[in-house]
Amino acid sequence: MATTKPGERKLQILQTLASMLEQPKGAKITTAALAARLEVSEAALYRHFASKAQMFEGLIEFIESTIFGLINQITEREENGLQQAHAIAAMLLNFAERNRGMTRVIIGDALVNEDERLQARMNQFVDRVELALKQALRLAATQGQGDEAQAAARAGIIASYVIGRWHRFAKTGFRHSLADGAPAQLAMLLA
């Protein structure tokens, strides 16, 4: 096997795990199956990660850093609160469309038989996404576009909409495009 630079093998393991998660009806992902896909021994996996839970934590760290980095870019670039909320929701759908395996992690589908702290972390992730939407809608209210008292409720509705779209996307084997109807639906939710 070709020599890899430090950190490359770890990234390769995470990319392969994410790729395997794109198979919605695939077999349970075991370290043996992951090692076979990478053409390495299970011991080689454990040189980079102490457990399969740590591998999932690596994926979750990627999801969190990517999503919240993009949210920060949106809020820095867009001054209009409603446009921020719309852009955040659209980005969340786009991220899932481009990262199918990660979508299964976000909705907890891939975490069913894993350490429960992983699901708790994804629940916190969703709470933080909803908070970002709430902040955008509160900003919109200060700009005369909505009621600040309803910002939390609207953020909850939009977060639930996005989560529902993620679930439908994953549960249908990624056949229903997340972009289909989303602009009109988001416009109605943010009207």
Side-chain angles (χ1 to χ4, degrees):
M1 169 140 273
T3 307
T4 57
K5 293 178 185 171
E8 281 183 9
R9 175 64 74 196
K10 194 172 188 174
L11 181 60
Q12 185 182 33
I13 292 167
L14 293 177
Q15 288 172 333
T16 302
L17 176 58
S19 171
M20 292 173 76
L21 288 169
E22 289 183 14
Q23 306 307 314
K25 294 188 173 116
K28 182 178 188 270
I29 296 174
T30 62
T31 54
L34 181 58
R37 176 77 67 94
L38 286 162
E39 299 178 352
V40 300
S41 67
E42 281 185 81
L45 294 178
Y46 289 116
R47 280 195 287 277
H48 301 281
F49 296 96
S51 65
K52 191 165 72 162
Q54 266 194 2
M55 293 176 206
F56 277 107
E57 285 174 343
L59 292 179
I60 291 169
E61 286 168 12
F62 170 81
I63 292 165
E64 290 173 337
S65 66
T66 302
I67 294 292
F68 294 114
L70 291 169
I71 287 173
N72 288 338
Q73 288 177 22
I74 289 166
T75 58
E76 288 171 10
R77 182 182 67 235
E78 182 57 61
E79 292 179 18
N80 181 291
L82 281 181
Q83 291 301 320
Q84 282 182 13
H86 187 278
I88 290 168
M91 174 275 296
L92 293 167
L93 296 175
N94 187 44
F95 177 86
E97 186 97 41
R98 294 174 182 243
N99 298 282
R100 294 173 175 195
M102 303 292 181
T103 302
R104 292 192 56 224
V105 174
I106 292 170
I107 66 169
D109 194 31
L111 304 176
V112 169
N113 295 312
E114 303 303 329
D115 189 313
E116 61 188 50
R117 80 180 187 295
L118 298 172
Q119 184 59 59
R121 188 164 170 187
M122 290 316 307
N123 293 345
Q124 288 176 331
F125 163 83
V126 170
D127 290 344
R128 287 177 60 201
V129 165
E130 187 171 338
L131 180 61
L133 289 164
K134 188 186 322 180
Q135 289 170 337
L137 293 169
R138 282 188 176 145
L139 174 62
T142 66
Q143 297 168 334
Q145 300 174 315
D147 181 356
E148 189 169 349
Q150 294 180 350
R154 288 181 78 192
I157 291 168
I158 295 165
S160 294
Y161 164 78
V162 169
I163 293 165
R165 294 292 299 245
W166 286 338
H167 274 274
R168 183 175 185 214
F169 184 54
K171 298 297 184 183
T172 61
F174 308 114
R175 287 190 301 276
H176 288 281
S177 171
L178 289 167
D180 290 348
Q185 292 164 353
L186 286 172
M188 283 195 287
L189 289 171
L190 291 164

